[in-house]
Amino acid sequence: MADVYRWRLAPDGLATRRQLRALGLRPGGQDVVAELHRPRRRCAPLVAYLYRVDRAKPVRPMTPARTAALAAAMRARRTCPNCRTEVGYCIPRSLGMCVPCHDTPSPWKDTTS
């Protein structure tokens, strides 16, 4: 079982995934060394997994193919499926279309009922 530390009491040399990423590192296949528990009043504690910094590997560099794939995915998130225009922001999933299309009343809806 992994060691358990309370919030802000983890020893030096251990880091979360986000902390590793900020250092330009990744876990690199190593197992979780410890857990960090942040207590909450009425819920179960928040848990963060800790990894050894000395065993972490450098982040893989971004290749041109990965850059192109990421750009295409972000372009798809900005393209309205209704009017097929790129709107310049990520379309909210709650709306499913750009704000102007959502706010424009549809001519097919029956408004008399």
Side-chain angles (χ1 to χ4, degrees):
M1 171 145 181
D3 294 333
V4 177
Y5 297 102
R6 288 185 54 88
W7 183 249
R8 297 183 187 262
L9 297 178
D12 292 336
L14 300 181
T16 63
R17 282 181 178 268
R18 285 189 181 201
Q19 291 168 336
L20 287 176
R21 189 63 159 188
L23 296 172
L25 301 171
R26 61 186 169 96
Q30 65 175 302
D31 291 331
V32 173
V33 176
E35 291 182 1
L36 188 67
H37 286 213
R38 181 176 179 203
R40 297 190 291 178
R41 290 181 187 226
R42 294 187 181 104
C43 302
L46 294 175
V47 178
Y49 299 113
L50 299 174
Y51 301 92
R52 288 183 51 171
V53 176
D54 59 346
R55 288 189 188 168
K57 296 180 180 177
V59 175
R60 294 184 189 119
M62 202 65 160
T63 64
R66 288 174 68 190
T67 304
L70 182 60
M74 291 306 292
R75 192 177 320 106
R77 289 184 65 190
R78 291 188 306 261
T79 303
C80 177
N82 221 19
C83 61
R84 299 283 184 212
T85 58
E86 193 172 332
V87 291
Y89 56 87
C90 288
I91 295 175
R93 292 180 63 194
S94 60
L95 300 180
M97 60 186 78
C98 66
V99 175
C101 287
H102 182 263
D103 291 344
T104 305
S106 175
W108 296 284
K109 286 186 180 174
D110 185 17
T111 58
T112 59
S113 3

